[in-house]
Structures are given as C-alpha cells and as structure tokens.
Amino acid sequence: MTGLDRFSVNQMTVRQLSLPELVAACAESGIGKVGLWREPVQAYGLRETAALVRSAGLEVTTLCRGGFLTATAPAERAAALADNRLAVREAAALGTDTLVLVSGGLPPGGKDLGAARERVADALAELAPYAEEHGVRLAVEPLHPMFAADRCVVSTLAQALDLAERFPAHQVGVAVDTYHVWWDDQAPAQIARAGAGGRIHAFQLADWTTPLPAGVLNGRGRLGDGSIDLRAWCGRVAAAGYTGPVEVEIFNEDLWARDGREVLKETAELFLEHAGG
Amino acid sequence: MTGLDRFSVNQMTVRQLSLPELVAACAESGIGKVGLWREPVQAYGLRETAALVRSAGLEVTTLCRGGFLTATAPAERAAALADNRLAVREAAALGTDTLVLVSGGLPPGGKDLGAARERVADALAELAPYAEEHGVRLAVEPLHPMFAADRCVVSTLAQALDLAERFPAHQVGVAVDTYHVWWDDQAPAQIARAGAGGRIHAFQLADWTTPLPAGVLNGRGRLGDGSIDLRAWCGRVAAAGYTGPVEVEIFNEDLWARDGREVLKETAELFLEHAGG
C-alpha cells in the first residue's frame, strides 16, 4: 500500500501475532514501522528481537512502556527506577529513540493525585539524564481521566507538559494519543505548546467507542468506528510541526480474536481512510 | 443521627426502595432531605409524590434530571425541549428549586463536542427563562470525560460554567459531583469561580472505585471506599461559600442488591465519617 510512510503499527494492536509473524505481516503489507512492547520483546529475547527487526529493515518507533513511578515505599520506588533504566537500555538496543512512560496510579489507599505527580517528576529527574546517555528520550503519556486512580495520575496534556518542561526537550516530551485526549477542549492548545517546544515525542491513534467494557482497558475502537475526528487531530499535530511516525495502538478483544495479519492489513487501510493522505 | 442537617440522600442511591419506603426510611434515620429522579416520581405519580414528601416534611433538594439537549434533528430537539419544560414543572410541583441537567452525548455519527455544547447553550436560552417563571434554576452537571461521547458533552466544571455564565446565576448554575470532577486539577479553581458567581446549585458526593464495570455507569463507590478525598472537596465548596445540601448519589449494583433501609442508614453513617462535621 502507498501512503504508509508515516504509519506505524503498535504491537498491541495485533498482539496475537508473534514477533516473527508481525515482522512477516508488516513486510506483506508494506509496513515499515512498528511500536513494540516490553513484555513480548522480553519473551522473545531482546537481542533476538533487535536482530529480527533490523534484518527486516523495520523501524521501531517507540518502546511501550516504562513508568509506574508513583510508589511511596522506598523499595518499590527503587525497583521501579531500576526497571525503567532497564527499559531505557531495551529501547536503545531496539534502535528506537523513544520510551513511552505511563506514570502509574495512586498507591494503595492514596487520594493525592498532585503528590503522586510530584513523585513522577522526581523519578524523571533521575531517569531523564540516564536516558539521554543511551540516546533515548522519554515520552510522558497522559491517559484518559478514567485511569487516574489505578493506572496514570497524569490525565491531561497540560499536566504531562508541566512535568516534561522541567527537563530539556531532548530528554522529556509527551506522547499524544487521540484515545486519551480527544475529550479535552484544552488539548489543541496543549498540542501547539508541545509542538512549539519540540516535545511531541510520539503520536498515537485509536478511536473512542462505547459502551466501554469492564475494566475499560480493552475497548478502544478501530479508526473510524468511534467519536474521534482523527483527521482533525492529525492536522493539529501537523500544525504544531510534528512530522514523525503515526502509531495506531488499539487494545480491543474483538481484534485480538481475529486473524492478526488480516487485522494488520485492515488497520493500515483504515489509517489511509481516516488519517492518511 | 445528628450532623445530618445538610445531608440529602439521592433516590438513586437506594433505588430499590419505593417512594413510600424511602420516605419511611428517611424518617427512621432522621434524614430530612432527598434528591428525586423523574422516572420513579412519574411512576408513583407527580401529585402523589409531592403530597407524600410534603406530609413527611421532607425537603426535595434536587430533581434529576433534565437535559439531553444535543440532538440535531429538529423534531428530536423540539421533543427534548418539551420534555425539559415538563421537568421544570415537575421540579416546581415537588417544591425543589433545582433541576439537574445532563447535557447529552454526541448525536449518531457525530464527532464535534464543541458544536454539541453550543446546542446545549441554545437550549438553555429557551429553558432558563421558562424555569425562572416556575421558580426553578437549572444546574448543568459536568460528567466524567468517560461519558463525553454517549451521555454528556460537558466534561469539566470550566465548560459547565462557560455555559452557565451566559445566563443570570439565578437561572443557570452548575452541579458539582465529586465522582465526575475529582480527577481534574482545574476543578478547585472552577469551584471558586462557581461560588463567587453564586452558581453552585447542587453538590453531590460519590467515591471513585476501580475496576469500573462494563458500561461504567453503575460502579460508583460508597463514601470512603475509593480514591477521592471527599473532605477536601467539601472544604472547597464551603470555601467557595456553599452552604446548601450535600447529596449522596451512588449508582452501584451491589448497593441496589442489598436491603435499601440498611443502605440508607449506612450511607448516612459514611457521610458523617467521611464528609460531615
């Protein structure tokens, strides 16, 4: 397919495919970019994955994901930092310059979102220079406010930028995912702010469909199936100066139940229809 | 129980109780205020409900709910306006001065949240003077952003106030519900804005618990069970000058499966523990 130069498929969209299957399916569909996840990469082997994508000429656009930096207990906090340093090294080994961070939720019994965000800032201060040494930049991803308690205390692009701007742009930026920010009337201005600062380090697409499933994690919509004006959001990041890859990242049980190669091909087609060109 | 002067139980919290059961249970527990819902009131009879609460000396703090004002089709829009005028008359008949409005979601295939909010504004322009004639004020309730597509295009207090402030405060204000605004770092400032303008027309409490159930509507937590610092939010509305009733409104299948009188008593106790005093 033509028009897929900037298209990247996030591994989660077709998580039913093994890494060799994913690489083969990308070749079949003319897809040159993938966003990878740590767990399947670790399961297949970091070195093996790096060799596999390199030999196929696939570009790794992001590694998902580090983060979960909100613990208060010192041992838990130290473990999280160590794990994020490992994630940085994994990103470097895979040849991607971008590690996406999901901040983490409130600690057990916790009720203070602002204090949790400050712990994220403290962790970034330790991780950002380490990442730079490895040629990796951190992308703080705001998740939809429905995840504020249990997954990510950073709910808006404004909050993500408030964190990122404490550091140089080549160390820390943000990940813009339409699924998480589409409802936010402040997001367009924040995208402009992020672009002006050179801080849009990743851009991801998924559509918003309802009803949400239990747990609300795996109900993202295929491009065009939902309520998000995807082309308008693509235009906003473009107007902010972003020219990088556009990752499609969809968590959806129905898609995972289907043939992965078919889903990949369809995802690329829907990208062209709703976001490309 | 003492300390319940400002406590109001929203009917949905104990929807398993019939209206006479609810009135009796309130008397048992020393509860003097209720927030009512249109559907059960209509089922029992408007006149009959008004007589029932009046004879029991119960104060009706709000009627929930009008709204759903985002349709584009003229016939649907006219029907929504007519239904909201009926809701205004129902509120007046029940002796409450506050009709809570849930704005409505995107129309089928719609992707423009801003345009939908403008249609809400247009509808308010027709409804607000009508409500005033009946001694009723409208309370625009922002719902959590997870409802933006299918239930309420007004997701933040800032958006609700932007709508309300086009009208006099005695016509249109906002409803502040901790469940919907707790994640929003702008909400404290918006509560101050609302209070300064005399626009906090309702204040409701529910806690945020996870995992969310499918459909995400009926997973609200009992006070103290979740991630919300309820006492802090009570302090914010108090600091903004709000001295009105505090409604506890919990949509929760587990609570609905229990004995309603027991749930009512427990709800009042949890109010005293987590929000009262």
Side-chain angles (χ1 to χ4, degrees):
Chain A
M1 283 180 261
T2 59
L4 292 179
D5 294 350
R6 294 178 61 200
F7 173 76
S8 174
V9 60
N10 185 284
Q11 182 169 20
M12 268 302 232
T13 305
V14 285
R15 74 167 188 194
Q16 64 271 54
L17 296 179
S18 69
L19 272 161
E21 287 170 345
L22 174 63
V23 169
C26 283
E28 259 176 48
S29 292
I31 294 165
K33 295 179 167 61
V34 291
L36 296 180
W37 276 67
R38 296 183 66 200
E39 294 76 3
V41 166
Q42 289 171 355
Y44 187 73
L46 177 62
R47 200 172 304 186
E48 292 75 7
T49 305
L52 183 70
V53 296
R54 194 166 298 135
S55 71
L58 266 179
E59 179 187 339
V60 181
T61 50
T62 63
L63 180 64
C64 298
R65 62 194 203 274
F68 295 89
L69 300 164
T70 52
T72 46
E76 220 180 312
R77 179 176 166 74
L81 288 170
D83 186 55
N84 275 273
R85 287 193 197 94
L86 174 59
V88 164
R89 296 194 299 274
E90 289 169 349
L94 293 167
T96 179
D97 63 355
T98 304
L99 175 65
V100 175
L101 300 186
V102 170
S103 296
L106 292 169
K111 296 176 194 279
D112 190 339
L113 294 168
R117 284 192 289 270
E118 280 309 306
R119 291 196 295 281
V120 175
D122 293 344
L124 290 174
E126 300 201 32
L127 294 172
Y130 182 85
E132 183 181 3
E133 286 169 26
H134 290 78
V136 173
R137 53 193 197 167
L138 307 175
V140 177
E141 180 169 19
L143 294 202
H144 192 284
M146 69 188 176
F147 295 116
D150 57 352
R151 193 167 292 268
C152 188
V153 295
V154 176
S155 301
T156 64
L157 275 173
Q159 290 169 350
L161 284 165
D162 286 349
L163 288 170
E165 288 173 357
R166 302 189 194 190
F167 307 95
H170 66 274
Q171 285 186 351
V172 188
V174 298
V176 178
D177 185 323
T178 56
Y179 189 79
H180 296 302
V181 308
W182 80 281
W183 59 271
D184 181 6
D185 60 6
Q186 306 299 306
Q190 296 300 319
I191 285 173
R193 170 185 169 193
R199 292 186 193 268
I200 302 179
H201 287 358
F203 178 47
Q204 298 179 323
L205 301 179
D207 213 336
W208 181 274
T209 51
T210 56
L212 294 165
V216 304
L217 194 57
N218 301 327
R220 304 190 191 179
R222 295 184 308 175
L223 307 191
D225 279 356
S227 304
I228 305 179
D229 187 344
L230 296 166
R231 208 171 284 280
W233 290 101
C234 290
R236 288 177 189 119
V237 298
Y242 182 77
T243 57
V246 183
E247 257 184 44
V248 177
E249 184 192 54
I250 302 173
F251 297 11
N252 182 307
E253 301 281 358
D254 293 337
L255 295 187
W256 294 335
R258 290 172 49 194
D259 177 79
R261 285 173 312 174
E262 184 190 297
V263 171
L264 182 58
K265 190 162 174 293
E266 178 187 84
T267 301
E269 288 165 355
L270 291 172
F271 171 81
L272 292 173
E273 186 180 345
H274 296 286
Chain B
M1 283 181 262
T2 60
L4 293 178
D5 294 350
R6 294 178 60 200
F7 173 77
S8 173
V9 61
N10 185 283
Q11 182 170 19
M12 267 303 231
T13 306
V14 286
R15 75 167 188 194
Q16 63 271 54
L17 296 179
S18 69
L19 271 160
E21 287 170 346
L22 174 63
V23 168
C26 283
E28 259 175 47
S29 293
I31 295 165
K33 295 177 168 61
V34 291
L36 295 180
W37 276 66
R38 296 183 67 200
E39 294 75 3
V41 166
Q42 289 171 355
Y44 188 74
L46 177 63
R47 200 172 304 186
E48 292 75 7
T49 305
L52 183 70
V53 296
R54 194 166 297 133
S55 72
L58 265 180
E59 178 188 338
V60 181
T61 50
T62 64
L63 181 64
C64 299
R65 62 195 202 282
F68 295 88
L69 300 165
T70 53
T72 47
E76 218 179 314
R77 179 175 167 75
L81 288 170
D83 186 55
N84 275 274
R85 288 192 196 94
L86 175 60
V88 164
R89 297 193 299 273
E90 289 169 349
L94 293 167
T96 178
D97 63 354
T98 304
L99 175 65
V100 175
L101 300 186
V102 170
S103 295
L106 292 169
K111 296 178 194 280
D112 191 339
L113 293 168
R117 285 191 288 269
E118 279 310 306
R119 292 196 295 280
V120 175
D122 293 344
L124 290 173
E126 299 200 33
L127 294 172
Y130 183 85
E132 182 180 5
E133 285 168 26
H134 290 78
V136 173
R137 55 192 196 168
L138 306 175
V140 177
E141 180 170 18
L143 295 202
H144 192 284
M146 69 188 177
F147 296 116
D150 57 352
R151 192 167 292 268
C152 186
V153 296
V154 176
S155 302
T156 63
L157 275 172
Q159 290 169 350
L161 284 164
D162 286 349
L163 288 169
E165 287 173 356
R166 302 188 194 191
F167 308 94
H170 67 274
Q171 285 186 351
V172 187
V174 298
V176 178
D177 185 321
T178 56
Y179 188 79
H180 296 302
V181 308
W182 79 281
W183 59 272
D184 182 3
D185 60 6
Q186 307 299 306
Q190 297 301 319
I191 285 174
R193 170 185 168 192
R199 291 185 193 269
I200 303 178
H201 288 358
F203 179 47
Q204 298 179 322
L205 300 179
D207 213 336
W208 181 272
T209 51
T210 56
L212 294 164
V216 305
L217 194 58
N218 301 327
R220 303 190 192 180
R222 296 184 306 176
L223 307 191
D225 279 356
S227 304
I228 306 179
D229 187 345
L230 297 164
R231 205 171 285 279
W233 290 101
C234 290
R236 288 177 188 120
V237 298
Y242 183 75
T243 56
V246 183
E247 257 185 44
V248 177
E249 184 192 54
I250 302 173
F251 297 12
N252 183 308
E253 300 282 357
D254 293 337
L255 294 187
W256 294 335
R258 290 172 48 194
D259 177 78
R261 286 175 309 175
E262 182 189 299
V263 171
L264 182 59
K265 189 161 174 293
E266 178 186 85
T267 300
E269 288 165 355
L270 291 173
F271 171 82
L272 292 174
E273 185 179 345
H274 296 285

